[in-house]
Amino acid sequence: MAVSRLIKENLERSSWIRRMFEEGLKLKKEFGADKVYDFSLGNPDVEPPAAFNEILARLAADTSRGTHGYMPNAGYPAVRAAVAGKASRDQGLAIPAENIVMTVGAAGGLNVLLRTILDPGDEVIVFRPYFAEYFFYVQNHGGRFVDVPTGSGFSPDPEALRAALSPRTACVIVNSPNNPTGRIYTRAELEAIGAVLEEHGRKTGRYPYLVADEPYREIVYGGAEVPSPMLAYRETIVATSWSKSLSLPGERVGYLAVSPKCEDAKGLVDGLAMCTRILGFVNAPALLQRAVAELLDERCDVASYERRGRLLAEGLRAAGYEFPEPAGAFYIFARVPELPGEALPGLDVAFVMHLKKYNLLAVPGVGFGCPGWFRLSYCVAEKTIRDAIPLFARAMEDWKAGR
Ligand code: PLP
């Protein structure tokens, strides 16, 4: 058997985004690319800042010896020092360079972190809806995935968290700004999570880590602030990347920052550096490390996401769709319109299939742990949004009329 049973099961589980991608290809062949409105993929579509290309060209021309060699697994010391400055400003406390580990994107960082902290059977708690890949990351490292419900407007529910904690809980992952809701966790929400974890630690002697997955920290609207998880709880680790902020998802560069307040920060960082090596990453890409260290104050055209998000939100709202207004990231997570007498939970797949009849591609909420909802990514041209809005309106009318 070429592929393990587990991976076969996982292919089945992760089939929604893949399936929509394949549906999109089929539709584009049949109707032409400009007649298909693909809101399924969260693939940043703005260009990196011009400074990125200039810096990359200069660095590529550097022929000094050792430029392409191995380095310490945690990254170049000078890059870690520069990144520590940025992480300290973001988090509102002084993070030393030794607490930074350069990673292969946020995804690589999360895998390195879970490999470092999980013993077999340890539990990882996430709030619904969640980034679908977390399930696989936890499974990669022998952990048990525990998802908990959120309250109204997807606010994290401290009581649900308290009920889910166990002596096997290794960490809780929060993601703000959130994929798929676009929600930013408030300071009070982070503090409430911190207080529950603190209380649990005092009772059991095991303080779970708070893992803050923050690749969308810079993609926020109207100057919104993203509160610091490190100020809310001492055992906190931030995972992030330049995939969204500099629009470099294919370049695979990010970092982990360990709070200086963590009890065993040094042991943890040693573990992270070792896992970067033994997972086969070895180190984050050399050229990209040097490039991002010079671009710490740059970001991509966030206003373009904001404009497109507002445009899509206005159109959808006028057509009768319900969803929380995204405060950041580039997704809208909308409720499947109610049908009298039908139970909502199973209907997200049916609704996404209904949208497909209008060449509108979306992802059902079930993949994010929230059946009854669907996700739209607005990494698409403004024209695509404008052309799609009347189709969303027609799809809503027809759905309600049972057509
Ligand atoms: N976490 C979340 C919530 C994401 O949406 C993504 C990518 O879409 C990632 C992590 C992974 O990002 P990266 O490209 O930095 O690995």
Side-chain angles (χ1 to χ4, degrees), residues 238-300:
V238 168
T240 190
S241 73
W242 285 273
S243 292
K244 326 288 173 181
S245 60
L246 292 183
S247 217
L248 299 175
E251 301 296 351
R252 314 306 305 135
V253 62
Y255 66 91
L256 291 164
V258 173
S259 170
K261 297 192 213 158
C262 279
E263 197 181 311
D264 184 21
K266 175 160 183 342
L268 186 55
V269 172
D270 288 348
L272 296 172
M274 171 164 172
C275 289
T276 300
R277 187 179 94 229
I278 66 174
L279 283 176
F281 296 119
V282 182
N283 55 250
L287 190 62
L288 268 294
Q289 283 194 42
R290 295 206 296 275
V292 293
E294 294 193 37
L295 290 159
L296 295 172
D297 296 324
E298 291 279 343
R299 67 186 60 170
C300 68

Side-chain angles (χ1 to χ4, degrees), residues 105-108 110 131 134 175 179 213 215-216 241 243-244 249 252 331:
L110 289 166
F131 177 51
Y134 292 154
N175 167 221
N179 172 8
D213 179 26
Y216 300 95
S241 73
S243 292
K244 326 288 173 181
R252 314 306 305 135
Y331 309 99

